[in-house]
Amino acid sequence: GQNIDQPTEMTATEGAIVQINCTYQTSGFNGLFWYQQHAGEAPTFLSYNVLDGLEEKGRFSSFLSRSKGYSYLLLKELQMKDSASYLCALYNFNKFYFGSGTKLNVKP
Amino acid sequence: KAGVTQTPRYLIKTRGQQVTLSCSPISGHRSVSWYQQTPGQGLQFLFEYFSETQRNKGNFPGRFSGRQFSNSRSEMNVSTLELGDSALYLCASSPALGDEQYFGPGTRLTVT
């Protein structure tokens, strides 16, 4: 595998900002992806980084640092519907490798 | 565009039987990947098909196989089912290899 690590669970308050980290131990991968998965549903694509830096898509942003071996997903203005698992994935050697996911609980 | 569809959505089988799951990708998508998702192991890559060719395979026994047809639709087959095969099987399609993936709703397989 690619040794992708994510925190298992996080809790944040509605309206706040939360950062979900993803660290990995590999090099030369093609891209890093973030997916959202609500309980009982399929993952949905959120964001994709190829180069280092920040990619912004509305309330969601994703950052990649290849030299430091980490990425993060930033969620702003949290809403209750953001309660879900967030999966980090690498595409390398013609395969997708997924982290175990971070379960985010948004409380009022 | 219609999303990725998978059939059946739910399936109950007994040990030793075999099962075939079907996936229809988004129109125009040529890459189809299959994953097994369980609470303990997360999303595990099974295989990826592109233009009817298997491009890569995950660390699963030979009981797991698949194929892709000329219209990009894909099937996966599991033979000699074991209790441990109980899982959610997800299919994902993408326009090309390595692009963002769009997942179907999954097939929930229960082996008793």
Side-chain angles (χ1 to χ4, degrees):
Chain A
Q2 306 293 291
N3 295 321
I4 300 171
D5 291 314
Q6 301 180 237
T8 304
E9 194 163 355
M10 299 178 70
T11 300
T13 306
E14 192 176 16
I17 299 173
V18 70
Q19 177 175 313
I20 300 175
N21 294 328
C22 169
T23 58
Y24 54 86
Q25 294 177 12
T26 188
S27 61
F29 59 90
N30 301 86
L32 190 140
F33 299 78
W34 284 94
Y35 291 83
Q36 179 191 60
Q37 187 175 23
H38 285 101
E41 299 181 11
T44 55
F45 169 72
L46 286 177
S47 187
Y48 168 50
N49 293 75
V50 175
L51 303 174
D52 283 8
L54 192 68
E55 291 285 339
E56 296 187 81
K57 291 180 76 173
R59 294 190 301 113
F60 296 80
S61 303
S62 59
F63 174 84
L64 175 64
S65 170
R66 287 179 179 265
S67 60
K68 295 183 179 178
Y70 90 103
S71 171
Y72 66 72
L73 181 70
L74 197 68
L75 292 80
K76 303 175 188 174
E77 300 168 17
L78 277 175
Q79 301 176 10
M80 297 300 291
K81 67 179 182 179
D82 297 330
S83 291
S85 287
Y86 291 85
L87 308 171
C88 165
L90 293 178
Y91 189 75
N92 202 12
F93 303 117
N94 296 321
K95 284 186 196 179
F96 277 97
Y97 297 88
F98 281 82
S100 298
T102 298
K103 185 180 178 185
L104 175 65
N105 303 301
V106 180
K107 58 180 185 179
Chain B
K1 276 186 182 178
V4 178
T5 58
Q6 291 185 245
T7 56
R9 293 292 311 278
Y10 302 92
L11 206 48
I12 299 175
K13 292 284 190 179
T14 55
R15 276 183 300 175
Q17 287 187 310
Q18 75 166 22
V19 66
T20 299
L21 311 182
S22 182
C23 171
S24 292
I26 292 172
S27 177
H29 284 194
R30 298 170 64 192
S31 171
V32 174
S33 297
W34 288 89
Y35 296 89
Q36 181 194 67
Q37 188 173 37
T38 58
Q41 298 294 319
L43 263 175
Q44 300 291 310
F45 172 79
L46 279 157
F47 21 67
E48 181 175 27
Y49 287 89
F50 185 82
S51 296
E52 302 177 67
T53 302
Q54 187 180 93
R55 296 293 171 159
N56 218 328
K57 187 170 167 40
N59 296 324
F60 280 83
R63 301 185 295 108
F64 291 81
S65 63
R67 58 178 175 168
Q68 186 180 34
F69 302 95
S70 58
N71 61 358
S72 293
R73 192 176 69 84
S74 178
E75 288 181 348
M76 68 163 279
N77 184 279
V78 189
S79 62
T80 320
L81 284 165
E82 300 177 359
L83 295 178
D85 297 333
S86 294
L88 179 66
Y89 289 88
L90 290 162
C91 162
S93 77
S94 57
L97 292 170
D99 283 353
E100 70 274 13
Q101 297 190 307
Y102 297 87
F103 285 81
T107 295
R108 173 76 61 186
L109 172 65
T110 302
V111 182
T112 61

